[in-house]
């Protein structure tokens, strides 16, 4: 039987009583039709799972008792950040969902020359909340108890000024000489750059190279942005032993 997992934005501890409201309560009571005594797992992003039992169900809330805590075991040994050129809505949503399922620690949406979507300040805040919701739902589904950090959308040129230490930087380039697996071998921290629809333009590719991003190929075919991101993340996690 598959255990139901629910994200909550509050501290958790054994013995605590938690009131689920809003969408979470509706999902438990009306969609899943759970009953008092049924078991659920709560998590708040701190890396632990909290075994819990439903006490009571009301019209607009569900009371849950936390029984025990255990460290979740769904995280990858690889610290993997995805720097993703902002793509169209449904494609970007897919990348956020699948990247979460594949164990990334961080997602950084970057505005690039060929990004079709342009976000003003209000739109950035709404998109960030939307992407976080998608990531949380993916964690509930896949068993992760650590929600990936999703950075505020930023211009690509601004992102390149950041130089993380001890991180291997890789950009996907269809005609590159280096293979993705060879470039990632031995790394424990990787930052993967994937362009939007149409990929990186020549100036962005050169700027990424200057910032330490090694150009790597991902097979003999040119993949769509969302396909490339998902495929490359899977390859990197497999090489790190996460998908074995």
């Amino acid at each position: 039987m598959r255990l139901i997992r629910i994200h909550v934005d509050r501290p958790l501890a054994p013995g605590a009583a938690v009131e689920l409201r809003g969408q979470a309560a509706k999902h438990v009571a009306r969609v899943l039709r759970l009953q008092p005594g049924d078991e659920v797992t709560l998590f708040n992003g701190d890396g632990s799972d909290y075994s819990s039992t439903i006490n009571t169900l009301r019209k607009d809330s569900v009371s849950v008792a936390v029984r025990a805590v255990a460290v979740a075991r769904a995280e990858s040994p690889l610290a993997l950040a995805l720097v993703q050129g902002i793509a169209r809505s449904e494609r970007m949503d897919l990348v956020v969902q699948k990247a979460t399922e594949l164990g990334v620690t961080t997602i950084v949406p970057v505005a690039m020359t060929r990004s079709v979507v342009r976000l003003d300040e209000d739109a950035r805040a709404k998109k960030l909340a939307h992407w976080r919701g998608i990531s949380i739902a993916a964690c509930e589904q896949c068993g992760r108890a650590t929600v990936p950090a999703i950075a505020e959308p930023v211009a690509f040129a601004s992102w390149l000024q950041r130089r993380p230490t001890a991180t291997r930087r890789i950009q996907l380039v269809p005609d590159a000489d280096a293979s993705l697996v060879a470039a990632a071998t031995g790394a424990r921290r990787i930052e993967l750059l994937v362009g939007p629809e149409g990929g990186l333009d020549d100036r962005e590719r050169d700027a990424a190279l200057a910032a330490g991003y090694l150009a790597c190929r991902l097979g003999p075919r040119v993949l769509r942005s969302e396909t490339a991101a998902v495929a490359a993340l899977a390859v990197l996690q497999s090489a790190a032993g996460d998908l074995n």
Side-chain angles (χ1 to χ4, degrees):
M1 179 179 177
R2 176 173 171 265
L3 195 61
I4 305 302
R5 304 182 75 255
I6 302 167
H7 179 267
V8 295
D9 278 319
R10 55 161 292 176
L12 295 170
V18 179
E19 288 290 325
L20 303 179
R21 296 184 177 275
Q23 191 62 37
K26 179 180 178 181
H27 185 67
V28 167
R30 301 183 187 179
V31 178
L32 299 175
R33 297 185 181 277
L34 299 182
Q35 299 297 320
D38 285 342
E39 296 183 355
V40 296
T41 295
L42 304 183
F43 69 100
N44 61 6
D46 67 359
S48 295
D49 282 335
Y50 295 82
S51 301
S52 308
T53 302
I54 294 176
N55 280 342
T56 59
L57 293 94
R58 300 182 181 86
K59 182 178 180 180
D60 58 355
S61 68
V62 176
S63 176
V64 179
V66 180
R67 300 192 324 272
V69 58
V71 176
R73 301 184 181 277
E75 295 306 314
S76 169
L78 178 65
L80 180 55
L82 172 64
V83 181
Q84 173 67 47
I86 298 172
R88 290 188 180 92
S89 295
E90 67 282 356
R91 295 181 178 180
M92 194 68 185
D93 291 355
L94 179 67
V95 169
V96 171
Q97 180 189 65
K98 300 309 177 187
T100 300
E101 292 178 22
L102 286 166
V104 301
T105 55
T106 307
I107 301 172
V108 183
V110 291
M112 309 186 80
T113 302
R114 292 172 178 165
S115 293
V116 176
V117 177
R118 302 295 175 183
L119 302 176
D120 58 23
E121 186 172 346
D122 289 340
R124 284 198 299 272
K126 291 178 180 177
K127 277 294 184 184
L128 191 58
H130 174 70
W131 292 329
R132 178 169 168 77
I134 290 173
S135 186
I136 287 172
C139 286
E140 291 177 335
Q141 181 275 325
C142 74
R144 293 187 67 182
T146 302
V147 180
I150 303 181
E152 285 204 26
V154 63
F156 181 55
S158 297
W159 178 254
L160 288 182
Q161 296 175 10
R162 175 182 174 272
R163 300 294 180 96
T165 59
T167 298
R168 192 161 302 175
R169 284 181 146 184
I170 296 173
Q171 61 171 315
L172 293 185
V173 177
D175 58 354
D177 293 327
S179 74
L180 182 61
V181 172
T185 299
R188 307 315 296 168
R189 300 181 64 86
I190 294 177
E191 191 176 279
L192 176 70
L193 171 62
V194 180
E197 298 97 330
L200 287 71
D201 69 13
D202 290 341
R203 286 176 298 179
E204 289 170 334
R205 188 181 306 184
D206 291 343
L209 286 171
Y213 283 94
L214 178 65
C216 295
R217 65 180 182 276
L218 181 63
R221 292 167 293 279
V222 177
L223 304 179
R224 293 181 184 273
S225 177
E226 66 275 23
T227 308
V230 173
L233 292 174
V235 168
L236 292 172
Q237 293 289 33
S238 179
D242 180 60
L243 298 181
N244 293 341

